[in-house]
Amino acid sequence: MAWNLARIAPPWDPSRPSIYDFIASRLDENGSLGQPVPSLPDEEPDPSAVSFGAGTLDGISRHWGVATEDDAAVSVIVGAVAKLARRATPRTAARLYELVADTPTLGFVDKALPFIASSGADPARVQAIGHWLATRAPDRSAVKFGIALLGLFDPPDIPTLITVGAHDEFTLYSAVSLSNTRNEAALFELAKRVDGWGRIECVERLANTADPHIKRWMLLDGFRNSIMDEYLALTCARTGGLAEALAAASPDDQLVDSAGDLLQALLSGEPGPPPNEYSALVPALRRYVELVGQRPGNLRERSVVRRIRDLIDAPGDVPLDSGDYAALAAAADDFLARPHFRQAVDAGLIDADHAIYWDAKNAARDLGIDIYDAVYSRIETGMDDYPLWFDLLQATDEARIDRSLELGRELLDLSALASGPSNDIGLGPTYAADDALGSFLQELRRFPGKGQDLVAAGLRNRVVRNRNLAIRALQDLPRGDWPDGAAAALEAMIDAEVSDDVRTFAQDVLRGEVPVAEAWRRTVATLRERNPELAELAEALADTRPGRQLRAQPGFGDLRVWDGTYDTSPADRRHVTVYGTAAGFGAHLSDEPATAPAPSEWSRDDAVAQVAALLNRLLVE
């Protein structure tokens, strides 16, 4: 058979839509998909699992170094490409498709491409395979591999790369292909069309641009994305020349406004690099405070200056000399003390623009302004797409809890929320009411005995977290104070529960305190999966105070230990945090800084002794 992919029946169900066609049919006049980007047709929603946004898995894997390489797949896939490029038959096409559709692309593509390029396969045929996969395949992994093949040889298929790259799930692969073939203009065009992980991937590959137009765009818009601006803050500050742009005699308002957002992201650091990695940070801060000091000052600017003032008090590794400190502190304090900000907060708390509300809320906290009535009004009148229940309950005190509960009962359908258990984790707009219920259940711990009808709804809510919170609300009450029917409701919940962990928690609470040994066993078992070294330390630590009610809560990189009962949390009481480092262990009391002598040098035995000493202090004090 002559080599011609068009003559081959596709090795997938022909009724399944092409991902390329799905994307192309949804692009707006600017070539963008908007936010949020639509879910791809090969996606099967699972409410019981964490749902990752477009490009998230590849983005996290690449940025945090957790991608796993599948070396075994490399040679097999390279061979399958070579066979298909030599002879296009239904069998060779199906074999390649089976491999690339079922194998996570990030795990093999970087190693496979150089072998394909040097395999002697006809470049035109390899690109044809890439185009076939990128434009016709219904499975995302196959599309990603097709995009990668399109960037292997010049000239690349730019229209296809930009079209499919407009979806954040594929932007990384399009950006790499465009970078490999040195198409900066096309890469910039793609960067403007995406907003999530795709924006991050494109901008990082524009870091060496000499184009003044792209440099200015980086300062004004390039760092903005729907994931976290912190990822791109340093890249855009460096590439765009933030300090130099602000140092101009009369920088325009657009630049100054954007510089505030960029500086705030830069100062936040994680998940981006620490702010001191921007060598011109201090001059940029000085100039920004000087420039906004010449303006009347709005809440957005106040938020940035507040963040700068916090940095002055705790500069960390930022190189502030005494002159910088004094000048910046004086200018920032003068700006923050302007009296009109109190009126601006009052207006901002009832502004329909959520960004303005957010800045007003933060300023209110700084200025000691009570936000309860404003947030109550926003919820009561339906001002926001997603009512601000969490903010309301954070501002709720003993005098207001009944009022907040009545509003919740009025606006939440408790019978609908008590729909029965599932393994849903409760993320996304369809869980807005469940999320509101969760906000109540979380804060009811501060008001024992209140809102028991919400607790009852929580016991039968579809979201796992809410059922746990409802159980904990009962756990916080002495058994004699449980309302009538609570024990029976908990028993009924246990019978219907679909999660083993939630059922175990409910059984523990129903029968009373969990034995110390059992609580510690569960902690160690969890730690073994997350951090085996800390698990060994916990096992050794359990023998240090026999008979004492030591409890522990495992994190992903630490262990919190306290003296209490199973129904308490380290958030509720003073505790010791134990953490592992590359060189050993460290520990500190929760209300003291982590400055114990050489914590990174403690061996396990030393750490056990040090933690025991800290626990002795905790128990005595």
Side-chain angles (χ1 to χ4, degrees), residues 189-222:
E189 181 59 35
L190 180 57
K192 293 184 290 183
R193 298 187 183 200
V194 287
D195 185 56
W197 279 106
R199 171 68 65 86
I200 295 169
E201 303 294 358
C202 288
V203 170
E204 288 180 343
R205 287 166 178 78
L206 290 167
N208 296 319
T209 184
D211 186 325
H213 178 61
I214 299 178
K215 286 173 173 279
R216 178 169 169 83
W217 174 81
M218 283 192 168
L219 296 181
L220 301 184
D221 294 304

Side-chain angles (χ1 to χ4, degrees), residues 538-562:
E539 287 182 303
L541 188 63
D543 297 329
T544 60
R545 294 195 64 79
R548 180 69 76 168
Q549 297 286 303
L550 282 185
R551 304 296 182 184
Q553 182 182 87
F556 282 95
D558 60 26
L559 172 70
R560 281 141 288 178
V561 185
W562 70 99

Side-chain angles (χ1 to χ4, degrees), residues 353-367:
D353 187 324
H354 196 75
I356 294 175
Y357 164 78
W358 183 264
D359 286 328
K361 180 182 74 169
N362 289 336
R365 185 185 302 113
D366 191 30
L367 296 170

Side-chain angles (χ1 to χ4, degrees), residues 14-268:
S15 67
R16 296 180 65 198
S18 152
I19 283 178
Y20 177 90
D21 290 341
F22 174 86
I23 294 171
S25 66
R26 287 164 173 77
L27 296 176
D28 62 21
E29 64 276 9
N30 298 315
S32 298
L33 289 169
Q35 283 292 325
V37 296
S39 298
L40 293 167
D42 69 337
E43 191 168 324
E44 298 180 4
D46 181 358
S48 67
V50 176
S51 177
F52 291 97
T56 299
L57 281 176
D58 286 343
I60 291 176
S61 295
R62 198 181 70 78
H63 282 81
W64 294 96
V66 295
T68 56
E69 294 187 349
D70 189 349
D71 291 337
V74 173
S75 61
V76 179
I77 290 172
V78 171
V81 171
K83 287 179 181 179
L84 178 56
R86 282 196 303 270
R87 190 157 183 252
T89 68
R91 183 175 180 179
T92 56
R95 176 55 175 159
L96 175 63
Y97 194 81
E98 177 187 16
L99 289 169
V100 299
D102 294 339
T103 308
T105 314
L106 202 63
F108 72 85
V109 68
D110 287 341
K111 287 189 175 181
L113 289 180
F115 287 110
I116 294 171
S118 61
S119 67
D122 184 335
R125 291 186 178 187
V126 172
Q127 282 200 316
I129 295 171
H131 189 269
W132 175 65
L133 292 171
T135 61
R136 296 183 59 192
D139 295 290
R140 67 186 66 193
S141 291
V143 173
K144 291 174 182 178
F145 185 61
I147 296 170
L149 291 180
L150 287 177
L152 200 52
F153 304 103
D154 273 327
D157 183 354
I158 291 177
T160 296
L161 292 174
I162 290 182
T163 296
V164 72
H167 195 290
D168 290 87
E169 185 67 23
F170 306 104
T171 317
L172 165 62
Y173 300 89
S174 288
V176 170
S177 289
L178 292 170
S179 297
N180 289 345
T181 51
R182 299 177 182 83
N183 281 271
E184 183 177 271
L187 182 59
F188 179 44
E189 181 59 35
L190 180 57
K192 293 184 290 183
R193 298 187 183 200
V194 287
D195 185 56
W197 279 106
R199 171 68 65 86
I200 295 169
E201 303 294 358
C202 288
V203 170
E204 288 180 343
R205 287 166 178 78
L206 290 167
N208 296 319
T209 184
D211 186 325
H213 178 61
I214 299 178
K215 286 173 173 279
R216 178 169 169 83
W217 174 81
M218 283 192 168
L219 296 181
L220 301 184
D221 294 304
F223 66 93
R224 304 183 194 278
N225 65 86
S226 59
I227 307 302
M228 291 185 76
D229 290 354
E230 287 81 355
Y231 274 109
L232 293 175
L234 179 61
T235 297
C236 289
R238 282 176 173 170
T239 303
L242 175 62
E244 295 83 357
L246 288 175
S250 299
D252 60 84
D253 290 345
Q254 188 180 11
L255 174 63
V256 177
D257 291 342
S258 296
D261 296 337
L262 180 50
L263 284 170
Q264 194 158 40
L266 193 62
L267 292 177
S268 296

Side-chain angles (χ1 to χ4, degrees), residues 261-334:
D261 296 337
L262 180 50
L263 284 170
Q264 194 158 40
L266 193 62
L267 292 177
S268 296
E270 293 184 353
N276 65 306
E277 289 196 19
Y278 180 46
S279 60
L281 177 64
V282 175
L285 295 177
R286 280 200 310 260
R287 180 60 171 157
Y288 177 78
V289 173
E290 177 187 351
L291 290 168
V292 297
Q294 298 166 6
R295 298 175 164 197
N298 58 38
L299 290 174
R300 179 90 285 264
E301 293 162 352
R302 191 187 192 282
S303 179
V304 180
V305 174
R306 175 72 263 175
R307 182 66 186 84
I308 294 171
R309 188 64 181 86
D310 292 341
L311 174 77
I312 296 168
D313 289 336
D317 294 329
V318 175
L320 281 174
D321 62 32
S322 57
D324 292 327
Y325 181 95
L328 265 175
D333 288 341
D334 178 69

Side-chain angles (χ1 to χ4, degrees), residues 553-578:
Q553 182 182 87
F556 282 95
D558 60 26
L559 172 70
R560 281 141 288 178
V561 185
W562 70 99
D563 176 40
T565 58
Y566 185 72
D567 61 348
T568 61
S569 159
D572 301 327
R573 57 180 58 228
R574 201 171 182 221
H575 59 275
V576 176
T577 297
V578 189

